[in-house]
Amino acid sequence: MDRSSLSELLQKFSRHGRELVRRHLPFAASGAGAARSRAEMMTDMARDLISNRGEASGVAIAADLLRLYETAGESDRATFFAALAAHFNPDRSRLVAAWRRFETDGWSAYPELARATEAPRQELFRRLNLAPGGTAALVRMREQLLGMREMPGVALVETDLAHLLQSWFNRGFLSMQAINWSSPARLLERVIGYEAVHHIRDWTDLRSRLDPPDRRCFAFFHPAMPDDPLIFVEVALTDAVPASIQELLAPDRVPLATEDFTTATFYSISNCQPGLRGISFGHFLIKQVATDLQREIPGLKHFVTLSPIPGFMRWLRTDDPELAQEAEAEGMSHRDRLLARALDYFLEVKDPEGRPIDPVARFHLGNGARLEQLNWMGNSSEKGLRESAGMMVNYLYDLPAVEELHERFANRGAIPIGKPVRQLMTKLESHSKSMEFQG
Amino acid sequence: MDRSSLSELLQKFSRHGRELVRRHLPFAASGAGAARSRAEMMTDMARDLISNRGEASGVAIAADLLRLYETAGESDRATFFAALAAHFNPDRSRLVAAWRRFETDGWSAYPELARATEAPRQELFRRLNLAPGGTAALVRMREQLLGMREMPGVALVETDLAHLLQSWFNRGFLSMQAINWSSPARLLERVIGYEAVHHIRDWTDLRSRLDPPDRRCFAFFHPAMPDDPLIFVEVALTDAVPASIQELLAPDRVPLATEDFTTATFYSISNCQPGLRGISFGHFLIKQVATDLQREIPGLKHFVTLSPIPGFMRWLRTDDPELAQEAEAEGMSHRDRLLARALDYFLEVKDPEGRPIDPVARFHLGNGARLEQLNWMGNSSEKGLRESAGMMVNYLYDLPAVEELHERFANRGAIPIGKPVRQLMTKLESHSKSMEFQG
Amino acid sequence: MDRSSLSELLQKFSRHGRELVRRHLPFAASGAGAARSRAEMMTDMARDLISNRGEASGVAIAADLLRLYETAGESDRATFFAALAAHFNPDRSRLVAAWRRFETDGWSAYPELARATEAPRQELFRRLNLAPGGTAALVRMREQLLGMREMPGVALVETDLAHLLQSWFNRGFLSMQAINWSSPARLLERVIGYEAVHHIRDWTDLRSRLDPPDRRCFAFFHPAMPDDPLIFVEVALTDAVPASIQELLAPDRVPLATEDFTTATFYSISNCQPGLRGISFGHFLIKQVATDLQREIPGLKHFVTLSPIPGFMRWLRTDDPELAQEAEAEGMSHRDRLLARALDYFLEVKDPEGRPIDPVARFHLGNGARLEQLNWMGNSSEKGLRESAGMMVNYLYDLPAVEELHERFANRGAIPIGKPVRQLMTKLESHSKSMEFQG
Amino acid sequence: MDRSSLSELLQKFSRHGRELVRRHLPFAASGAGAARSRAEMMTDMARDLISNRGEASGVAIAADLLRLYETAGESDRATFFAALAAHFNPDRSRLVAAWRRFETDGWSAYPELARATEAPRQELFRRLNLAPGGTAALVRMREQLLGMREMPGVALVETDLAHLLQSWFNRGFLSMQAINWSSPARLLERVIGYEAVHHIRDWTDLRSRLDPPDRRCFAFFHPAMPDDPLIFVEVALTDAVPASIQELLAPDRVPLATEDFTTATFYSISNCQPGLRGISFGHFLIKQVATDLQREIPGLKHFVTLSPIPGFMRWLRTDDPELAQEAEAEGMSHRDRLLARALDYFLEVKDPEGRPIDPVARFHLGNGARLEQLNWMGNSSEKGLRESAGMMVNYLYDLPAVEELHERFANRGAIPIGKPVRQLMTKLESHSKSMEFQG
């Protein structure tokens, strides 16, 4: 930050902020000193914020600190995080004393132990939230902390902030809202940027996802970030479980009448906030969308996904390099062999905790969905071919069964499968037997 | 709860809830057993809620548990709280292990120590918040916990819930809204019930507080409780600092034109949620109302309160029983002596921490206001006479000075006084001297 | 209006308004002169409003004129109306010329004839609508015109205003909104005042009409009067066609669960704006409420009213004075004779146009409803006994049949009756025959 | 419309509509017959709509008729309009009778004369407005009527509809709303299409008009067309009266801070609804925007336009073909001569009513603005050079003077000029004198 932009920034500061910057100004002039100094300023502000002074003018100090933070470079931020890790820990002697009392008095001494264990960083983050836009700024700060997690001490800071965000972004505080062509342009612009599964090219493409009568989109919002979705899901309404994304997004399709819809397909789910990693909303969103659509359109019978198999080819390259190579080279051949290996991939291959290694499968099966159908050439795009040999999969949410399936999956790793997958298995088996037999 | 109301309740339960109640039903029939059993049901639900099962059907279990809780009697609740205190503590062996590692490895082991210290009760409360209306239910639960805080173990539960509420009701999440005659009746009905300082008799009286052009009312709301204010302040707009509440609320006054307003008087501040005791919003509200009114009505120069002196007569009865007795008997005499004692009460008498003993004084001075004016017969109602010999006081918020006054008060106990108080002191002194002289 | 209130009023006037008042001020001082003068001022403003000047500063002049009008007394208004009748008629020579051309050229000359026929009053009213609150003020003005309709010339003014209101209050511009306990107090206060059928005593009584789960209320609003309903209907949801208002409004009833509702009863319809007399919204409102409720609660099978028979006893006093006297004296006796006469009253007695003489019957039958059920002691209140010998009637709206029934009633005066009325007729006949026989 | 699309359409029809179409179906099959038949169907529906039947099922018939109309071709529409002109005129004998009575009785017979003069078409249009979207459909119908105004009879229909729209789109019913980057995409998409002065290329360009802190946009909306603006104005906030559109829209400009704004420039005003031609909102919009901005940003001192001179070069080509040709050929030379001619164009050249011939000048001067400044190379685009030799003009709205200037202009054709224009005149005169002198 050069002097002119610093002085611009200063104009927005509170009296307290300006005084503080002035105190540090000698350093601000020179190169290395300047970097050190901005981190120092932020650290001083952080200290003030959790002091007595912070009680009276918390909003102003929080706003100043976040303003400084948001315009800081990576090295300033790293230094600031290091300071938070070093100087905002609990008071060790108080902590030891509380532990001693807990050892002698037991649970009655627990409240003081809990209080003594909490790091002042938590109070710092709570007070930073007083600034306008504070919540969104803290979510971005966690994103940056996650990016620096390997640096010494950063994990302490990140853990504390994650704990707070987990509590603040409780599903009970979120509201689900439809996103459509009447939504604010400011919000839609973000949706274009956030879509992670099937890229949205421009406003015309966006409109084709939101406006036709056979398309829906829903998102979770936090009241402190009303223009910024946390997660959204795109839904297509059809009269059959769709087998390919090309077909589903075909621009020249004729939308059905509402009374002909039987199937709602979740064909794209995008998490929007990297700073909320590990705080899971997806299953809440899918279930609420399914429940609400069911009420709105009583004719809906099936709630399915049309999902990628992002890890299949990566795994195949290790497990069966020859087939992988052939699949990549020839594109659409080896249908049965690849389908058979995909079934293995879903049903046989496990991670150390005994769960499927495909992240999308883990997510939906973990929500209580079942593996319904495997679709050859479900995604014939370059990306689809490269990642999953062009296959896609439908997970089916049978709402009344979801709870039980979830428990079985969580407790025993049981993977429920639907009739189409079962039929595919039978067919492939008899085929492979006949192959064997012929062989 | 008799069998018929139980069965009504059951209809609203989820499948899981109904099964659970059925399991407990033998007990539910008989008297004592029933009580024991409902608490047991709640405890079982609480266990399920923080288990794997709670992940898949958290919303339903949380709703069931809160439904059972809300219709439970005091003894059931006490038993339930005891179970939360006994069985939802951290895992002791994990906690001890984390402590050992912290002793050897230092702060790098802190994240695990913090995690191991957190009681599963916190996760329980976070999941209860998934139910519709969960936040409000937890606020009421804290109110009941506070009422039973002396019972063994309840303090543990209350501390954990308080910690969470402190985090959730962060000022950054609250919105300030005007309350006026166009507000929803449902909300206004609550305002009538919550007003704690100057009783609102009925809807006509309410209207006189909200609708005239020289009246305003503002409240803080949490997004999860949109119909239920957390705190509200009633404001009168006048052309001078008001000296009595009778005058201020006179129904036959003629409201001034907007351009003649010079003074905004906060004449009533009511906290609405006993379950949020200890979480302070008042100073944020006053400052934001002052800032917003200033912008709306540029002619406003003074922001003052017209406040009661709730502890004065109680103190005087101990300190000067004779004068107290006379004041009570004669009502409006002994003006100067009582004013002099009130000055002592504000400026000389201190609590163990060196702060004024009057709670209202502590609040406003702690916010950075100054003691501006003492008003003889400011409140001639029966309550006013009994509590404060009919006196009222104005605290003045000088916005640019607030931060500094707050710090001086917080650090040194300094009590700033305004010109009217200063003049009163001089007058009373000279008077008392002349009295001495005469005597 | 004395001088002080005049000067207060003047402060709110535009420059143009103040100049105008000053010009008239000599008259304003004295008694009769003053009256003459205010009407003159209004007339001058009206002239300015439809002149060139009105184009540039129409909003200000319209506001001034309405302000003067709203605070005027009845005699000023009468004089003002007389001026509107005398001086704001079409230009007679232009009208005669247009007529001549129409006589020679036929319909091609019609546009100029139509324009020449329109009185400048219409443009005046359109420009008055520019003032904030203008629409509501014009509705009130029509109310006052209707009250003076017998005075010479007033009918001209009233006709012109009615024509405009008819066009502005087109059903296509109205929005139907639910009124409930979350509606603005300002609006609910009006509902209390407007309820014309079953008096609402206070806010508690109002709440019992709006808040219980088996009660609904809907109103039509015009966008220019968002706080002021045009008409509202109160609805009770039950599991049977209700036979008495006492039962329907019983405060100790237990509301049914939503899935048990089979019948929606319109038990009170109130027109709120006397100034919109002759502009009919009632049938639109009933049909839209029925359609919307049907969609919301699919279990609803019957849409009925529970209506008074306001003209029965008046008619009976002429038609059968003896029975009328006995009914009044004895209250609940003569059941069958009174029911029989009520059937006559509905089905036999006609006004000169061949329609029933009961206004409520004319309204509902004219909407396409049928006469479903006659209820003895349906309204045992003093008013119910006095007006209709305590009887009430259900009109039933069979939505698919409504159009055809309306046409038959409109074209042939056919009155459709329901099974309960048919059974009552049979029973009364056989009874009367047996009576005769016995006699 | 082929048979399949007809049957699709039929599905949306009411029972009444379907019957009607069936009656006409034989014709619908063949070519010419079909066209005749659709117009006949529409005419039949129109008749039903103003009959008794229309009272009971007006909404359904209106919706059916508009559906048929909206999908009709030009020839069907022409036939339908011809039917409206021929068969929906007033009853001639009633009209003659009313005239006779008026001739003998005078104004007391006026109400009946007014009623008898009104064509049933007006009632037809009022009932068409009952359909959802009816108001917008009628606005489009007027657009089509205006396009066929030369056909026999169409003028009658158009006049009647215009009269109604004039009444419905009264400024008192419109609401002004800001349009910004948080507006619904559906609305913004329309703004892109409607912008008539400075073309908006795409969503990025749109954003540059709405989102920067020195840009504003405001529109009038009618409550029955909430997504469709009637007129909008784009505003730029600067610290000086702008002299060129290139500068004003420069994408790399740095927006000023709010406290530095002194000037609001209306640089683009677009009427959106051709069907509302002749119903003027522009002056209301400009004045309200100016008033509201003044209140929001007290530092604003000047309200000006930056306007094209659309008729200048057309006039010059006739008046001074040689100069026009040179200007077109050479682009930026002949500065003083062209400026001098532009002054003539504004100040000397008059239309038959004595007003300036430039339509934009007539609009702003007619609103009470003054001719403030002439800007050489204010618009160097191809269109700007072609239409106005690259010149632009600022009209200035001096709010307190607007009313008087409007009256002077309306009554005497007086054109007020600002200091810059005056200085330009002086400069050009002395220059031309010195030229003469030299010559």
Side-chain angles (χ1 to χ4, degrees), chain A residues 90-101 112 116, chain B residues 99 107:
Chain A
D91 177 334
R92 189 158 190 152
S93 57
R94 180 184 170 192
L95 181 51
V96 170
W99 180 259
R100 297 291 163 242
R101 232 167 306 134
E112 166 59 11
Chain B
W99 180 260
W107 293 114

Side-chain angles (χ1 to χ4, degrees), chain B residues 11 180-189 203 207 211 227, chain C residues 180-189 203 207 211 227 259:
Chain B
Q11 293 205 342
N180 54 42
W181 195 234
S182 289
S183 298
R186 191 178 304 285
L187 166 58
L188 296 183
E189 195 181 26
W203 287 82
R207 186 179 169 155
D211 205 28
D227 281 335
Chain C
N180 53 43
W181 195 235
S182 289
S183 298
R186 191 178 304 285
L187 166 59
L188 297 183
E189 193 181 29
W203 287 82
R207 187 179 168 156
D211 205 27
D227 282 335
E259 56 271 23

Side-chain angles (χ1 to χ4, degrees), chain C residues 119-163:
Chain C
R121 276 185 296 271
Q122 297 251 12
E123 182 61 18
L124 172 65
F125 293 137
R126 285 196 290 261
R127 293 201 180 180
L128 280 174
N129 197 51
L130 298 177
T135 312
L138 287 168
V139 170
R140 285 190 298 273
M141 192 182 285
R142 170 128 188 274
E143 185 177 349
Q144 287 131 13
L145 282 163
L146 285 168
M148 302 184 182
R149 224 180 176 280
E150 300 317 309
M151 297 174 62
V154 167
L156 271 75
V157 185
E158 191 276 321
T159 302
D160 277 337
L161 184 49
H163 182 262

Side-chain angles (χ1 to χ4, degrees), chain C residues 38-52:
Chain C
R38 179 192 277 256
E40 275 184 0
M41 275 191 266
M42 294 196 280
T43 309
D44 283 4
M45 282 177 178
R47 265 197 205 97
D48 285 352
L49 193 53
I50 57 174
S51 74
N52 261 344

